[in-house]
Structure formats: structure tokens, C-alpha cells
Amino acid sequence: MRTAATVVVAGLLPLTVPAAEAAEAQEVAPTVLPIEAAVAALESADESRTGYSRSSFKHWTAGDNPTDGCNTRQEVLIAEATIAPEVGSRCTITGGTWFSYYDEVTVEGARGLDIDHMVPLAEAWDSGASAWTAARREAYANDQGQASSLVAVTARTNRSKSDQDPAEWLPPAPSALCRYGAEWTATKLRWNLSIDAEEKTALLDIASSCDGTTVTYTPAP
């Protein structure tokens, strides 16, 4: 989950959320399920990558606050910093520290980080996003409404993962396994994405070793 941090901002307006939107967000109670029950709640279906293009998912747009000068990627970096960076004009990020939970690496400075789509864009396409509108795919690719959807990790682990699902790739740190399985499942439930047979087997195998782990999600708007 994202770590709260105080951000030093030079010459920028603070992040604000309109009162009506904040009230609406407070009214949506998240669903919390044991991880095994959460995996069982996912619809099973075959996958197809026919027609996929990364450009079908417009991402790193103006972010949740179009007035702050930061794009989605930069907003996620700021939100997930364990030691806040300084944020200058045009959202130039200087300094700061992050913890990449995939490989238990502490990273100083944002240059060594990627923002990982928990469920990669190609996997989302395979699992139901091919039928979405372009606007919904854009919303998915920039989703900050659930902290587990986008995560700051070392570039090497993100690129090792690529577009693979848990049957094909898991984080190298053993301590990351339960969290990763829960966050993958939460993202699929949030966006009503399906899982294939191999993916389900892998997730249930994770769940069997993660007694007491829960999955928390809210349906995407």
C-alpha cells in the first residue's frame, strides 16, 4: 500500500480533491475477502491477445489533479515515496527514497524506478479490456483510485515481469508473495477482469501459503 509522505513543493498548488468527489469516495465501502475467496470470485475465461496494442491504453496523462503539473507516473512516485522528494516546476522530482517491495530494495532518487501496472496492459487486454471503450482503457492505465493498481518498483523487476501473469512470473523476494497475490487479485476484481486456468492455479497456490491475507478492493467507476 502507498506510504503517506509530506511533499516539498516549490511553486505548485497542493493536491486537492473537490468536496463532492471526496464525499462520493467516502461512500464507497471497500470489499474485503480472504485471499482464497477473492480468487474464487474471479470469473474464469480463456484469454486472447488478438488486436492488442500498447497504444490502446493512453497512459501517464495529467493525473488525478490536472492543475499540479504532474502526470500520473509522477503523482504515483510522490504518493509512494518513503522519504518525500522535492517537487519543483513542471513536476521535476529531486531526491526522495522509495522501497521496491518486489525485491526488497531501497531506491534513492526516482531514476531507478518504474511504475508497474499491477495487471499489465497486455494482460488486461487479454482478460476483458479488449471490449472496453478507449476512455475506460485510459482510466485503467492511469488508475490511482486503488493504491495497488500502480506501484513504484525497481526498473529491473518491472522489466523482468513484463506482461506476464502469476503463472509465469512472481516477485523475487519471498516476503512479497502474499501481498503481490492479493494486489493482483484486487486489481482484477476492481476492473472485473477474468483469469485463465493456469493463472487461477497459481493464485490459489499463493493463497494456500498466505493464510490470514485479505484482498481489499472497490469496483472501478
Side-chain angles (χ1 to χ4, degrees), residues 94-114:
T94 306
T97 301
W98 289 260
F99 180 74
S100 169
Y101 88 85
Y102 287 6
D103 48 0
E104 294 186 325
V105 171
T106 297
V107 179
E108 295 184 0
R111 296 184 68 177
L113 296 165
D114 280 355

Side-chain angles (χ1 to χ4, degrees), residues 187-201:
T187 304
K188 286 229 160 174
L189 285 168
R190 173 170 169 78
W191 289 93
N192 195 28
L193 295 169
S194 63
I195 53 173
D196 64 19
E198 294 82 5
E199 183 183 353
K200 183 174 184 178
T201 297

Side-chain angles (χ1 to χ4, degrees), residues 1-203:
M1 297 179 66
R2 290 186 186 162
T3 304
T6 302
V7 182
V8 180
V9 181
L12 295 180
L13 294 174
L15 295 176
T16 58
V17 178
E21 291 182 17
E24 182 179 352
Q26 290 176 355
E27 292 173 2
V28 180
T31 298
V32 182
L33 296 170
I35 187 170
E36 193 164 350
V39 174
L42 290 164
E43 179 184 354
S44 295
D46 293 333
E47 295 184 353
S48 173
R49 195 156 296 185
T50 301
Y52 169 71
S53 170
R54 188 171 175 83
S55 63
S56 297
F57 294 81
K58 184 178 180 181
H59 55 289
W60 307 161
T61 57
D64 281 359
N65 183 0
T67 69
D68 67 0
C70 302
N71 63 25
T72 301
R73 179 184 186 278
Q74 293 162 329
E75 288 183 356
V76 173
L77 283 171
I78 293 166
E80 295 194 357
T82 56
I83 298 177
E86 182 175 339
V87 183
S89 62
R90 299 187 179 181
C91 206
T92 302
I93 295 175
T94 306
T97 301
W98 289 260
F99 180 74
S100 169
Y101 88 85
Y102 287 6
D103 48 0
E104 294 186 325
V105 171
T106 297
V107 179
E108 295 184 0
R111 296 184 68 177
L113 296 165
D114 280 355
I115 302 302
D116 181 36
H117 290 92
M118 174 56 62
V119 174
L121 304 180
E123 170 67 21
W125 179 275
D126 299 350
S127 309
S130 60
W132 294 351
T133 64
R136 188 158 184 81
R137 286 194 289 268
E138 179 178 339
Y140 175 84
N142 297 277
D143 181 23
Q144 295 186 71
Q146 181 164 283
S148 58
S149 296
L150 297 170
V151 56
V153 295
T154 56
R156 63 175 173 267
T157 53
N158 182 50
R159 293 165 198 184
S160 171
K161 172 182 173 178
S162 186
D163 58 9
Q164 299 175 94
D165 72 22
E168 302 160 318
W169 185 91
L170 290 171
S175 64
L177 187 64
C178 294
R179 177 177 171 182
Y180 186 79
E183 293 189 346
W184 180 281
T185 303
T187 304
K188 286 229 160 174
L189 285 168
R190 173 170 169 78
W191 289 93
N192 195 28
L193 295 169
S194 63
I195 53 173
D196 64 19
E198 294 82 5
E199 183 183 353
K200 183 174 184 178
T201 297
L203 289 170

